[in-house]
Amino acid sequence: MTNWGADIQQYFHGVWRLMTGRADGLRHLDISVDGFWNSFYAVPVSLPALLINWLAFANEAEALMLLPMSRLEIVLRLALSSIGSWILPLVGLLAVAKQARIADRLIHYVVASNWASALLTWMMLPPTLLQIFFPALAEIAMFLSLVLFFLTLFLSWRVTVVALAKGAAMGTGVFFGMLVASIATLLILQSLLGINVGSL
């Protein structure tokens, strides 16, 4: 990446166009082998927003004495489970891409998916900030979080369908397959690491 800030802005612009159903958004992404690997920079781009969420959970877990570990341990375990649930399903998709008949669009999908995930992670941050700085508005924050959750699902589906360019049925199948794989991976990793986010 020659110009970090400009590249990220361009990629976010590209995935936003995909989210609005415009296939020309792919022109703003680097759909090459190097672009495939560089798209995983989306993980560190997302880290500040993710870290705020992890710290909010760790602070609440420590205050309620729900987990027998320090805040740092909680944050590190949340990081492992969250990043694992991002990367591991993509690794699984790589393994079955040929059988699923999407190998020719795999780079398009992975690049678009990674940068879309980064953008959506930042979009999901406001409810957490609202809850941190205005605890009295917790119910509003929860409602906003729910609305944004369903919105991000829709936008992720749109990115999948447009990036794969295999039709709505195939795109929908891949989307739900990856969604289930991501949730299952997250729950398994959280269980293995001794973290129960649902307890809060």
Side-chain angles (χ1 to χ4, degrees), residues 18-102:
L18 294 178
M19 289 173 184
T20 57
R22 287 173 279 192
D24 65 355
L26 288 170
R27 298 176 187 171
H28 300 276
L29 304 178
D30 184 358
I31 309 298
S32 66
V33 175
D34 285 342
F36 171 85
W37 294 111
N38 286 339
S39 73
F40 288 94
Y41 280 110
V43 176
V45 168
S46 303
L47 282 181
L50 290 171
L51 183 59
I52 292 173
N53 284 290
W54 298 335
L55 286 171
F57 174 84
N59 288 337
E60 191 168 354
E62 186 178 60
L64 298 175
M65 296 183 291
L66 293 176
L67 298 172
M69 59 189 76
S70 69
R71 275 182 292 181
L72 178 59
E73 289 178 297
I74 295 172
V75 169
L76 290 176
R77 295 183 190 204
L78 286 171
L80 286 173
S81 60
S82 296
I83 294 173
S85 68
W86 181 330
I87 303 297
L88 293 178
L90 290 176
V91 174
L93 186 63
L94 286 171
V96 301
K98 188 173 182 180
Q99 292 80 357
R101 299 179 181 178
I102 60 170

Side-chain angles (χ1 to χ4, degrees), residues 82-149:
S82 296
I83 294 173
S85 68
W86 181 330
I87 303 297
L88 293 178
L90 290 176
V91 174
L93 186 63
L94 286 171
V96 301
K98 188 173 182 180
Q99 292 80 357
R101 299 179 181 178
I102 60 170
D104 60 322
R105 299 291 294 186
L106 186 63
I107 290 181
H108 300 72
Y109 169 74
V110 172
V111 171
S113 175
N114 278 336
W115 289 114
S117 294
L119 179 58
L120 294 174
T121 296
W122 282 99
M123 287 176 61
M124 287 292 294
L125 183 58
T128 301
L129 295 176
L130 188 63
Q131 195 162 4
I132 291 173
F133 293 107
F134 303 97
L137 300 178
E139 291 186 4
I140 295 176
M142 288 295 293
F143 175 74
L144 179 58
S145 180
L146 186 63
V147 171
L148 286 174
F149 172 72

